[in-house]
PDB file of all heavy atoms in Angstrom:
ATOM      1  N   PHE I   1      -6.179  33.037  18.112  1.00 96.00           N
ATOM      2  CA  PHE I   1      -4.805  32.615  18.304  1.00 96.00           C
ATOM      3  C   PHE I   1      -4.840  31.084  18.600  1.00 96.00           C
ATOM      4  O   PHE I   1      -3.978  30.412  18.060  1.00 96.00           O
ATOM      5  CB  PHE I   1      -4.108  33.440  19.326  1.00 96.00           C
ATOM      6  CG  PHE I   1      -2.708  33.079  19.433  1.00 96.00           C
ATOM      7  CD1 PHE I   1      -1.742  33.851  18.613  1.00 96.00           C
ATOM      8  CD2 PHE I   1      -2.112  32.235  20.285  1.00 96.00           C
ATOM      9  CE1 PHE I   1      -0.420  33.728  18.582  1.00 96.00           C
ATOM     10  CE2 PHE I   1      -0.719  31.971  20.256  1.00 96.00           C
ATOM     11  CZ  PHE I   1       0.073  32.754  19.414  1.00 96.00           C
ATOM     12  N   LYS I   2      -5.726  30.738  19.528  1.00 97.00           N
ATOM     13  CA  LYS I   2      -5.757  29.239  19.809  1.00 97.00           C
ATOM     14  C   LYS I   2      -6.039  28.385  18.596  1.00 97.00           C
ATOM     15  O   LYS I   2      -5.514  27.316  18.469  1.00 97.00           O
ATOM     16  CB  LYS I   2      -6.758  29.029  20.936  1.00 97.00           C
ATOM     17  CG  LYS I   2      -6.093  29.633  22.286  1.00 97.00           C
ATOM     18  CD  LYS I   2      -7.112  29.314  23.447  1.00 97.00           C
ATOM     19  CE  LYS I   2      -6.575  29.901  24.676  1.00 97.00           C
ATOM     20  NZ  LYS I   2      -7.427  29.619  25.861  1.00 97.00           N
ATOM     21  N   LYS I   3      -7.022  28.780  17.730  1.00 97.00           N
ATOM     22  CA  LYS I   3      -7.353  28.126  16.599  1.00 97.00           C
ATOM     23  C   LYS I   3      -6.183  28.006  15.579  1.00 97.00           C
ATOM     24  O   LYS I   3      -5.928  27.085  14.947  1.00 97.00           O
ATOM     25  CB  LYS I   3      -8.604  28.692  15.952  1.00 97.00           C
ATOM     26  CG  LYS I   3      -9.865  28.324  16.646  1.00 97.00           C
ATOM     27  CD  LYS I   3     -11.102  28.850  15.939  1.00 97.00           C
ATOM     28  CE  LYS I   3     -12.421  28.412  16.695  1.00 97.00           C
ATOM     29  NZ  LYS I   3     -13.548  28.932  15.959  1.00 97.00           N
ATOM     30  N   ALA I   4      -5.476  29.213  15.458  1.00 97.00           N
ATOM     31  CA  ALA I   4      -4.367  29.188  14.609  1.00 97.00           C
ATOM     32  C   ALA I   4      -3.214  28.295  15.120  1.00 97.00           C
ATOM     33  O   ALA I   4      -2.630  27.486  14.311  1.00 97.00           O
ATOM     34  CB  ALA I   4      -3.815  30.672  14.488  1.00 97.00           C
ATOM     35  N   LEU I   5      -3.085  28.297  16.370  1.00 96.00           N
ATOM     36  CA  LEU I   5      -1.968  27.404  17.015  1.00 96.00           C
ATOM     37  C   LEU I   5      -2.408  25.985  16.862  1.00 96.00           C
ATOM     38  O   LEU I   5      -1.537  25.048  16.654  1.00 96.00           O
ATOM     39  CB  LEU I   5      -1.839  27.735  18.485  1.00 96.00           C
ATOM     40  CG  LEU I   5      -0.709  27.185  19.246  1.00 96.00           C
ATOM     41  CD1 LEU I   5       0.642  27.554  18.544  1.00 96.00           C
ATOM     42  CD2 LEU I   5      -0.689  27.724  20.649  1.00 96.00           C
ATOM     43  N   ALA I   6      -3.728  25.666  16.800  1.00 97.00           N
ATOM     44  CA  ALA I   6      -4.188  24.287  16.619  1.00 97.00           C
ATOM     45  C   ALA I   6      -4.063  23.916  15.123  1.00 97.00           C
ATOM     46  O   ALA I   6      -4.329  22.602  14.877  1.00 97.00           O
ATOM     47  CB  ALA I   6      -5.537  24.145  17.066  1.00 97.00           C
ATOM     48  N   GLY I   7      -3.625  24.700  14.194  1.00 95.00           N
ATOM     49  CA  GLY I   7      -3.433  24.267  12.870  1.00 95.00           C
ATOM     50  C   GLY I   7      -4.446  24.819  11.834  1.00 95.00           C
ATOM     51  O   GLY I   7      -4.383  24.447  10.710  1.00 95.00           O
ATOM     52  N   ASP I   8      -5.462  25.668  12.274  1.00 97.00           N
ATOM     53  CA  ASP I   8      -6.461  26.101  11.346  1.00 97.00           C
ATOM     54  C   ASP I   8      -5.842  27.261  10.487  1.00 97.00           C
ATOM     55  O   ASP I   8      -5.494  28.337  10.931  1.00 97.00           O
ATOM     56  CB  ASP I   8      -7.636  26.714  12.139  1.00 97.00           C
ATOM     57  CG  ASP I   8      -8.883  27.026  11.279  1.00 97.00           C
ATOM     58  OD1 ASP I   8      -8.659  27.526  10.249  1.00 97.00           O
ATOM     59  OD2 ASP I   8      -9.934  26.798  11.713  1.00 97.00           O
ATOM     60  N   GLN I   9      -5.633  26.865   9.165  1.00 96.00           N
ATOM     61  CA  GLN I   9      -4.972  27.795   8.331  1.00 96.00           C
ATOM     62  C   GLN I   9      -5.729  29.155   8.152  1.00 96.00           C
ATOM     63  O   GLN I   9      -5.133  30.186   8.028  1.00 96.00           O
ATOM     64  CB  GLN I   9      -4.891  27.163   6.917  1.00 96.00           C
ATOM     65  CG  GLN I   9      -4.073  27.942   5.906  1.00 96.00           C
ATOM     66  CD  GLN I   9      -2.641  28.217   6.362  1.00 96.00           C
ATOM     67  OE1 GLN I   9      -1.970  27.269   6.640  1.00 96.00           O
ATOM     68  NE2 GLN I   9      -2.259  29.470   6.255  1.00 96.00           N
ATOM     69  N   HIS I  10      -7.101  29.053   8.194  1.00 97.00           N
ATOM     70  CA  HIS I  10      -7.879  30.316   8.126  1.00 97.00           C
ATOM     71  C   HIS I  10      -7.405  31.289   9.215  1.00 97.00           C
ATOM     72  O   HIS I  10      -7.239  32.472   8.928  1.00 97.00           O
ATOM     73  CB  HIS I  10      -9.432  29.947   8.290  1.00 97.00           C
ATOM     74  CG  HIS I  10     -10.223  31.192   8.287  1.00 97.00           C
ATOM     75  ND1 HIS I  10     -10.543  31.972   7.237  1.00 97.00           N
ATOM     76  CD2 HIS I  10     -10.884  31.764   9.472  1.00 97.00           C
ATOM     77  CE1 HIS I  10     -11.329  33.000   7.610  1.00 97.00           C
ATOM     78  NE2 HIS I  10     -11.515  32.922   8.846  1.00 97.00           N
ATOM     79  N   TYR I  11      -7.267  30.887  10.367  1.00 96.00           N
ATOM     80  CA  TYR I  11      -6.868  31.662  11.509  1.00 96.00           C
ATOM     81  C   TYR I  11      -5.334  32.040  11.479  1.00 96.00           C
ATOM     82  O   TYR I  11      -4.960  33.048  11.963  1.00 96.00           O
ATOM     83  CB  TYR I  11      -7.280  31.110  12.818  1.00 96.00           C
ATOM     84  CG  TYR I  11      -8.824  31.143  13.002  1.00 96.00           C
ATOM     85  CD1 TYR I  11      -9.595  30.060  12.684  1.00 96.00           C
ATOM     86  CD2 TYR I  11      -9.452  32.398  13.418  1.00 96.00           C
ATOM     87  CE1 TYR I  11     -10.968  30.190  12.791  1.00 96.00           C
ATOM     88  CE2 TYR I  11     -10.811  32.529  13.484  1.00 96.00           C
ATOM     89  CZ  TYR I  11     -11.622  31.343  13.131  1.00 96.00           C
ATOM     90  OH  TYR I  11     -12.883  31.442  13.258  1.00 96.00           O
ATOM     91  N   GLN I  12      -4.582  31.135  10.941  1.00 96.00           N
ATOM     92  CA  GLN I  12      -3.150  31.344  10.830  1.00 96.00           C
ATOM     93  C   GLN I  12      -2.897  32.540   9.915  1.00 96.00           C
ATOM     94  O   GLN I  12      -1.852  33.352  10.182  1.00 96.00           O
ATOM     95  CB  GLN I  12      -2.334  30.147  10.287  1.00 96.00           C
ATOM     96  CG  GLN I  12      -2.190  29.115  11.386  1.00 96.00           C
ATOM     97  CD  GLN I  12      -1.402  27.948  10.921  1.00 96.00           C
ATOM     98  OE1 GLN I  12      -0.869  27.851   9.813  1.00 96.00           O
ATOM     99  NE2 GLN I  12      -1.335  26.950  11.888  1.00 96.00           N
ATOM    100  N   ASP I  13      -3.773  32.765   8.964  1.00 94.00           N
ATOM    101  CA  ASP I  13      -3.650  33.840   8.032  1.00 94.00           C
ATOM    102  C   ASP I  13      -3.804  35.266   8.735  1.00 94.00           C
ATOM    103  O   ASP I  13      -3.594  36.313   8.129  1.00 94.00           O
ATOM    104  CB  ASP I  13      -4.599  33.761   6.889  1.00 94.00           C
ATOM    105  CG  ASP I  13      -4.196  32.678   5.907  1.00 94.00           C
ATOM    106  OD1 ASP I  13      -3.067  32.201   5.957  1.00 94.00           O
ATOM    107  OD2 ASP I  13      -5.001  32.220   5.015  1.00 94.00           O
ATOM    108  N   PHE I  14      -4.419  35.203  10.008  1.00 92.00           N
ATOM    109  CA  PHE I  14      -4.685  36.416  10.723  1.00 92.00           C
ATOM    110  C   PHE I  14      -3.294  36.955  11.478  1.00 92.00           C
ATOM    111  O   PHE I  14      -3.259  38.070  11.806  1.00 92.00           O
ATOM    112  CB  PHE I  14      -5.609  36.256  11.855  1.00 92.00           C
ATOM    113  CG  PHE I  14      -6.984  35.996  11.399  1.00 92.00           C
ATOM    114  CD1 PHE I  14      -7.440  35.862  10.112  1.00 92.00           C
ATOM    115  CD2 PHE I  14      -7.990  35.758  12.325  1.00 92.00           C
ATOM    116  CE1 PHE I  14      -8.728  35.646   9.672  1.00 92.00           C
ATOM    117  CE2 PHE I  14      -9.358  35.513  11.999  1.00 92.00           C
ATOM    118  CZ  PHE I  14      -9.701  35.436  10.624  1.00 92.00           C
ATOM    119  N   PHE I  15      -2.279  36.142  11.435  1.00 94.00           N
ATOM    120  CA  PHE I  15      -1.046  36.415  12.019  1.00 94.00           C
ATOM    121  C   PHE I  15       0.137  36.379  11.134  1.00 94.00           C
ATOM    122  O   PHE I  15       0.087  35.781  10.090  1.00 94.00           O
ATOM    123  CB  PHE I  15      -0.827  35.365  13.208  1.00 94.00           C
ATOM    124  CG  PHE I  15      -1.960  35.434  14.143  1.00 94.00           C
ATOM    125  CD1 PHE I  15      -3.006  34.483  14.129  1.00 94.00           C
ATOM    126  CD2 PHE I  15      -1.993  36.289  15.236  1.00 94.00           C
ATOM    127  CE1 PHE I  15      -4.131  34.342  14.983  1.00 94.00           C
ATOM    128  CE2 PHE I  15      -3.083  36.297  16.133  1.00 94.00           C
ATOM    129  CZ  PHE I  15      -4.132  35.383  15.933  1.00 94.00           C
ATOM    130  N   ILE I  16       1.242  37.023  11.603  1.00 94.00           N
ATOM    131  CA  ILE I  16       2.435  37.076  10.731  1.00 94.00           C
ATOM    132  C   ILE I  16       3.346  35.933  11.387  1.00 94.00           C
ATOM    133  O   ILE I  16       3.828  36.010  12.551  1.00 94.00           O
ATOM    134  CB  ILE I  16       3.173  38.420  10.804  1.00 94.00           C
ATOM    135  CG1 ILE I  16       2.211  39.494  10.152  1.00 94.00           C
ATOM    136  CG2 ILE I  16       4.463  38.324  10.026  1.00 94.00           C
ATOM    137  CD1 ILE I  16       2.825  40.909  10.239  1.00 94.00           C
ATOM    138  N   LEU I  17       3.471  34.836  10.629  1.00 96.00           N
ATOM    139  CA  LEU I  17       4.211  33.668  10.956  1.00 96.00           C
ATOM    140  C   LEU I  17       5.375  33.497  10.107  1.00 96.00           C
ATOM    141  O   LEU I  17       5.326  33.628   8.867  1.00 96.00           O
ATOM    142  CB  LEU I  17       3.301  32.352  11.051  1.00 96.00           C
ATOM    143  CG  LEU I  17       1.951  32.449  11.829  1.00 96.00           C
ATOM    144  CD1 LEU I  17       1.193  31.187  11.539  1.00 96.00           C
ATOM    145  CD2 LEU I  17       2.249  32.654  13.285  1.00 96.00           C
ATOM    146  N   ARG I  18       6.499  33.093  10.637  1.00 96.00           N
ATOM    147  CA  ARG I  18       7.737  32.865   9.838  1.00 96.00           C
ATOM    148  C   ARG I  18       8.436  31.691  10.375  1.00 96.00           C
ATOM    149  O   ARG I  18       8.487  31.393  11.631  1.00 96.00           O
ATOM    150  CB  ARG I  18       8.618  34.076   9.901  1.00 96.00           C
ATOM    151  CG  ARG I  18       8.078  35.368   9.381  1.00 96.00           C
ATOM    152  CD  ARG I  18       8.055  35.302   7.793  1.00 96.00           C
ATOM    153  NE  ARG I  18       7.658  36.536   7.267  1.00 96.00           N
ATOM    154  CZ  ARG I  18       6.448  36.820   6.944  1.00 96.00           C
ATOM    155  NH1 ARG I  18       5.480  36.029   7.221  1.00 96.00           N
ATOM    156  NH2 ARG I  18       6.071  38.000   6.311  1.00 96.00           N
ATOM    157  N   GLU I  19       9.099  30.908   9.535  1.00 96.00           N
ATOM    158  CA  GLU I  19       9.894  29.772  10.011  1.00 96.00           C
ATOM    159  C   GLU I  19      11.238  30.306  10.508  1.00 96.00           C
ATOM    160  O   GLU I  19      11.962  29.680  11.327  1.00 96.00           O
ATOM    161  CB  GLU I  19      10.051  28.793   8.879  1.00 96.00           C
ATOM    162  CG  GLU I  19       8.811  28.151   8.484  1.00 96.00           C
ATOM    163  CD  GLU I  19       8.949  26.910   7.641  1.00 96.00           C
ATOM    164  OE1 GLU I  19      10.057  26.427   7.402  1.00 96.00           O
ATOM    165  OE2 GLU I  19       7.911  26.511   7.057  1.00 96.00           O
ATOM    166  N   GLU I  20      11.771  31.393  10.024  1.00 95.00           N
ATOM    167  CA  GLU I  20      13.051  32.079  10.375  1.00 95.00           C
ATOM    168  C   GLU I  20      12.628  33.547  10.867  1.00 95.00           C
ATOM    169  O   GLU I  20      12.253  34.224  10.071  1.00 95.00           O
ATOM    170  CB  GLU I  20      13.983  32.101   9.262  1.00 95.00           C
ATOM    171  CG  GLU I  20      14.555  30.805   8.816  1.00 95.00           C
ATOM    172  CD  GLU I  20      15.365  30.169   9.879  1.00 95.00           C
ATOM    173  OE1 GLU I  20      16.134  30.928  10.673  1.00 95.00           O
ATOM    174  OE2 GLU I  20      15.437  28.945   9.873  1.00 95.00           O
ATOM    175  N   PRO I  21      12.814  33.803  12.162  1.00 94.00           N
ATOM    176  CA  PRO I  21      12.488  35.210  12.635  1.00 94.00           C
ATOM    177  C   PRO I  21      13.555  36.124  12.165  1.00 94.00           C
ATOM    178  O   PRO I  21      14.806  35.783  11.744  1.00 94.00           O
ATOM    179  CB  PRO I  21      12.715  35.052  14.120  1.00 94.00           C
ATOM    180  CG  PRO I  21      13.485  33.803  14.415  1.00 94.00           C
ATOM    181  CD  PRO I  21      13.387  32.863  13.250  1.00 94.00           C
ATOM    182  N   THR I  22      13.146  37.434  12.061  1.00 96.00           N
ATOM    183  CA  THR I  22      14.072  38.479  11.499  1.00 96.00           C
ATOM    184  C   THR I  22      14.733  39.023  12.905  1.00 96.00           C
ATOM    185  O   THR I  22      14.537  38.545  14.045  1.00 96.00           O
ATOM    186  CB  THR I  22      13.321  39.593  10.990  1.00 96.00           C
ATOM    187  OG1 THR I  22      12.537  40.208  11.910  1.00 96.00           O
ATOM    188  CG2 THR I  22      12.490  39.149   9.793  1.00 96.00           C
ATOM    189  N   ASP I  23      15.565  39.983  12.739  1.00 96.00           N
ATOM    190  CA  ASP I  23      16.123  40.596  13.863  1.00 96.00           C
ATOM    191  C   ASP I  23      15.400  41.795  14.543  1.00 96.00           C
ATOM    192  O   ASP I  23      15.921  42.577  15.196  1.00 96.00           O
ATOM    193  CB  ASP I  23      17.527  41.070  13.466  1.00 96.00           C
ATOM    194  CG  ASP I  23      17.618  42.184  12.400  1.00 96.00           C
ATOM    195  OD1 ASP I  23      16.481  42.465  11.866  1.00 96.00           O
ATOM    196  OD2 ASP I  23      18.701  42.666  12.102  1.00 96.00           O
ATOM    197  N   TRP I  24      14.150  41.822  14.163  1.00 95.00           N
ATOM    198  CA  TRP I  24      13.182  42.893  14.693  1.00 95.00           C
ATOM    199  C   TRP I  24      13.197  42.782  16.256  1.00 95.00           C
ATOM    200  O   TRP I  24      13.202  41.764  16.794  1.00 95.00           O
ATOM    201  CB  TRP I  24      11.812  42.774  14.127  1.00 95.00           C
ATOM    202  CG  TRP I  24      11.739  43.072  12.631  1.00 95.00           C
ATOM    203  CD1 TRP I  24      12.850  43.388  11.835  1.00 95.00           C
ATOM    204  CD2 TRP I  24      10.593  43.108  11.872  1.00 95.00           C
ATOM    205  NE1 TRP I  24      12.319  43.558  10.510  1.00 95.00           N
ATOM    206  CE2 TRP I  24      10.865  43.346  10.576  1.00 95.00           C
ATOM    207  CE3 TRP I  24       9.262  42.825  12.171  1.00 95.00           C
ATOM    208  CZ2 TRP I  24      10.031  43.521   9.491  1.00 95.00           C
ATOM    209  CZ3 TRP I  24       8.353  42.972  11.079  1.00 95.00           C
ATOM    210  CH2 TRP I  24       8.703  43.258   9.776  1.00 95.00           C
ATOM    211  N   VAL I  25      13.165  43.986  16.864  1.00 95.00           N
ATOM    212  CA  VAL I  25      13.101  44.090  18.204  1.00 95.00           C
ATOM    213  C   VAL I  25      11.699  44.644  18.751  1.00 95.00           C
ATOM    214  O   VAL I  25      11.177  45.543  18.085  1.00 95.00           O
ATOM    215  CB  VAL I  25      14.190  45.113  18.721  1.00 95.00           C
ATOM    216  CG1 VAL I  25      14.141  45.269  20.297  1.00 95.00           C
ATOM    217  CG2 VAL I  25      15.643  44.555  18.425  1.00 95.00           C
ATOM    218  N   SER I  26      11.221  44.037  19.715  1.00 93.00           N
ATOM    219  CA  SER I  26       9.951  44.439  20.297  1.00 93.00           C
ATOM    220  C   SER I  26      10.050  45.828  20.863  1.00 93.00           C
ATOM    221  O   SER I  26      11.106  46.300  21.346  1.00 93.00           O
ATOM    222  CB  SER I  26       9.527  43.407  21.390  1.00 93.00           C
ATOM    223  OG  SER I  26       8.572  43.967  22.215  1.00 93.00           O
ATOM    224  N   LYS I  27       8.914  46.541  20.959  1.00 89.00           N
ATOM    225  CA  LYS I  27       8.981  47.888  21.569  1.00 89.00           C
ATOM    226  C   LYS I  27       9.254  47.862  23.032  1.00 89.00           C
ATOM    227  O   LYS I  27       9.677  48.794  23.628  1.00 89.00           O
ATOM    228  CB  LYS I  27       7.624  48.596  21.348  1.00 89.00           C
ATOM    229  CG  LYS I  27       7.266  48.864  19.902  1.00 89.00           C
ATOM    230  CD  LYS I  27       8.131  49.816  19.285  1.00 89.00           C
ATOM    231  CE  LYS I  27       7.650  50.059  17.864  1.00 89.00           C
ATOM    232  NZ  LYS I  27       8.548  50.874  17.117  1.00 89.00           N
ATOM    233  N   PHE I  28       9.085  46.573  23.592  1.00 90.00           N
ATOM    234  CA  PHE I  28       9.358  46.411  25.031  1.00 90.00           C
ATOM    235  C   PHE I  28      10.653  45.723  25.258  1.00 90.00           C
ATOM    236  O   PHE I  28      10.943  45.416  26.406  1.00 90.00           O
ATOM    237  CB  PHE I  28       8.216  45.527  25.713  1.00 90.00           C
ATOM    238  CG  PHE I  28       6.855  46.236  25.728  1.00 90.00           C
ATOM    239  CD1 PHE I  28       5.770  45.400  25.782  1.00 90.00           C
ATOM    240  CD2 PHE I  28       6.720  47.516  25.604  1.00 90.00           C
ATOM    241  CE1 PHE I  28       4.463  46.021  25.857  1.00 90.00           C
ATOM    242  CE2 PHE I  28       5.488  48.148  25.684  1.00 90.00           C
ATOM    243  CZ  PHE I  28       4.338  47.343  25.675  1.00 90.00           C
ATOM    244  N   GLY I  29      11.372  45.571  24.221  1.00 92.00           N
ATOM    245  CA  GLY I  29      12.774  44.984  24.320  1.00 92.00           C
ATOM    246  C   GLY I  29      12.743  43.573  23.971  1.00 92.00           C
ATOM    247  O   GLY I  29      11.850  42.880  24.005  1.00 92.00           O
ATOM    248  N   GLY I  30      13.957  43.045  23.605  1.00 95.00           N
ATOM    249  CA  GLY I  30      13.986  41.645  23.148  1.00 95.00           C
ATOM    250  C   GLY I  30      13.451  41.406  21.714  1.00 95.00           C
ATOM    251  O   GLY I  30      13.019  42.311  21.009  1.00 95.00           O
ATOM    252  N   SER I  31      13.460  40.116  21.330  1.00 96.00           N
ATOM    253  CA  SER I  31      12.960  39.866  20.068  1.00 96.00           C
ATOM    254  C   SER I  31      11.443  40.081  19.848  1.00 96.00           C
ATOM    255  O   SER I  31      10.778  39.962  20.800  1.00 96.00           O
ATOM    256  CB  SER I  31      13.269  38.309  19.745  1.00 96.00           C
ATOM    257  OG  SER I  31      12.754  38.007  18.485  1.00 96.00           O
ATOM    258  N   ALA I  32      11.109  40.526  18.701  1.00 95.00           N
ATOM    259  CA  ALA I  32       9.754  40.755  18.348  1.00 95.00           C
ATOM    260  C   ALA I  32       9.032  39.334  17.864  1.00 95.00           C
ATOM    261  O   ALA I  32       7.921  39.398  17.351  1.00 95.00           O
ATOM    262  CB  ALA I  32       9.577  41.832  17.300  1.00 95.00           C
ATOM    263  N   TRP I  33       9.737  38.303  17.922  1.00 97.00           N
ATOM    264  CA  TRP I  33       9.263  36.983  17.541  1.00 97.00           C
ATOM    265  C   TRP I  33       9.303  36.045  18.715  1.00 97.00           C
ATOM    266  O   TRP I  33      10.309  35.930  19.505  1.00 97.00           O
ATOM    267  CB  TRP I  33      10.190  36.477  16.427  1.00 97.00           C
ATOM    268  CG  TRP I  33      10.171  37.242  15.186  1.00 97.00           C
ATOM    269  CD1 TRP I  33      11.001  38.349  14.892  1.00 97.00           C
ATOM    270  CD2 TRP I  33       9.278  37.285  14.046  1.00 97.00           C
ATOM    271  NE1 TRP I  33      10.687  38.897  13.722  1.00 97.00           N
ATOM    272  CE2 TRP I  33       9.622  38.270  13.215  1.00 97.00           C
ATOM    273  CE3 TRP I  33       8.205  36.459  13.807  1.00 97.00           C
ATOM    274  CZ2 TRP I  33       8.969  38.442  12.055  1.00 97.00           C
ATOM    275  CZ3 TRP I  33       7.505  36.670  12.631  1.00 97.00           C
ATOM    276  CH2 TRP I  33       7.883  37.613  11.658  1.00 97.00           C
ATOM    277  N   SER I  34       8.231  35.191  18.727  1.00 96.00           N
ATOM    278  CA  SER I  34       8.252  34.143  19.730  1.00 96.00           C
ATOM    279  C   SER I  34       7.843  32.878  19.089  1.00 96.00           C
ATOM    280  O   SER I  34       7.163  32.865  18.033  1.00 96.00           O
ATOM    281  CB  SER I  34       7.179  34.406  20.899  1.00 96.00           C
ATOM    282  OG  SER I  34       7.699  35.455  21.753  1.00 96.00           O
ATOM    283  N   PRO I  35       8.333  31.679  19.655  1.00 97.00           N
ATOM    284  CA  PRO I  35       7.868  30.354  19.068  1.00 97.00           C
ATOM    285  C   PRO I  35       6.377  30.285  18.982  1.00 97.00           C
ATOM    286  O   PRO I  35       5.694  30.572  19.963  1.00 97.00           O
ATOM    287  CB  PRO I  35       8.548  29.358  20.024  1.00 97.00           C
ATOM    288  CG  PRO I  35       9.612  30.088  20.619  1.00 97.00           C
ATOM    289  CD  PRO I  35       9.172  31.549  20.763  1.00 97.00           C
ATOM    290  N   PHE I  36       5.926  29.808  17.875  1.00 97.00           N
ATOM    291  CA  PHE I  36       4.478  29.536  17.669  1.00 97.00           C
ATOM    292  C   PHE I  36       4.136  28.071  18.128  1.00 97.00           C
ATOM    293  O   PHE I  36       4.070  27.221  17.205  1.00 97.00           O
ATOM    294  CB  PHE I  36       4.165  29.806  16.199  1.00 97.00           C
ATOM    295  CG  PHE I  36       2.682  29.829  16.009  1.00 97.00           C
ATOM    296  CD1 PHE I  36       1.790  30.747  16.563  1.00 97.00           C
ATOM    297  CD2 PHE I  36       2.111  28.972  15.005  1.00 97.00           C
ATOM    298  CE1 PHE I  36       0.423  30.746  16.226  1.00 97.00           C
ATOM    299  CE2 PHE I  36       0.739  28.924  14.715  1.00 97.00           C
ATOM    300  CZ  PHE I  36      -0.102  29.820  15.314  1.00 97.00           C
ATOM    301  N   GLY I  37       4.110  27.892  19.359  1.00 94.00           N
ATOM    302  CA  GLY I  37       3.863  26.474  19.858  1.00 94.00           C
ATOM    303  C   GLY I  37       5.036  25.622  19.467  1.00 94.00           C
ATOM    304  O   GLY I  37       6.093  25.962  19.466  1.00 94.00           O
ATOM    305  N   ASP I  38       4.553  24.391  19.033  1.00 94.00           N
ATOM    306  CA  ASP I  38       5.573  23.472  18.622  1.00 94.00           C
ATOM    307  C   ASP I  38       5.631  23.195  17.119  1.00 94.00           C
ATOM    308  O   ASP I  38       5.994  22.172  16.655  1.00 94.00           O
ATOM    309  CB  ASP I  38       5.260  21.980  19.242  1.00 94.00           C
ATOM    310  CG  ASP I  38       5.437  22.000  20.769  1.00 94.00           C
ATOM    311  OD1 ASP I  38       6.196  22.753  21.215  1.00 94.00           O
ATOM    312  OD2 ASP I  38       4.642  21.335  21.429  1.00 94.00           O
ATOM    313  N   THR I  39       5.203  24.333  16.376  1.00 93.00           N
ATOM    314  CA  THR I  39       5.141  24.163  14.976  1.00 93.00           C
ATOM    315  C   THR I  39       6.339  24.483  14.225  1.00 93.00           C
ATOM    316  O   THR I  39       6.421  24.245  12.979  1.00 93.00           O
ATOM    317  CB  THR I  39       4.074  25.272  14.512  1.00 93.00           C
ATOM    318  OG1 THR I  39       4.631  26.615  14.744  1.00 93.00           O
ATOM    319  CG2 THR I  39       2.735  25.185  15.125  1.00 93.00           C
ATOM    320  N   GLY I  40       7.405  24.893  14.876  1.00 95.00           N
ATOM    321  CA  GLY I  40       8.591  25.260  14.187  1.00 95.00           C
ATOM    322  C   GLY I  40       8.657  26.720  13.585  1.00 95.00           C
ATOM    323  O   GLY I  40       9.569  27.055  12.978  1.00 95.00           O
ATOM    324  N   LYS I  41       7.423  27.372  13.815  1.00 97.00           N
ATOM    325  CA  LYS I  41       7.313  28.625  13.323  1.00 97.00           C
ATOM    326  C   LYS I  41       7.411  29.645  14.488  1.00 97.00           C
ATOM    327  O   LYS I  41       7.373  29.290  15.608  1.00 97.00           O
ATOM    328  CB  LYS I  41       6.037  28.913  12.569  1.00 97.00           C
ATOM    329  CG  LYS I  41       5.913  28.000  11.278  1.00 97.00           C
ATOM    330  CD  LYS I  41       4.615  28.325  10.595  1.00 97.00           C
ATOM    331  CE  LYS I  41       4.495  27.290   9.383  1.00 97.00           C
ATOM    332  NZ  LYS I  41       3.243  27.565   8.715  1.00 97.00           N
TER     333      LYS I  41
END
């Protein structure tokens, strides 16, 4: 995760990243999306 956050595309491919979050809800409540650092994703 830290490598992905640092900009390593190889590791970013391990995660589902979006510029616009959907309305999906986490099983624990609230949005299922969180900001990916300062990337705008």
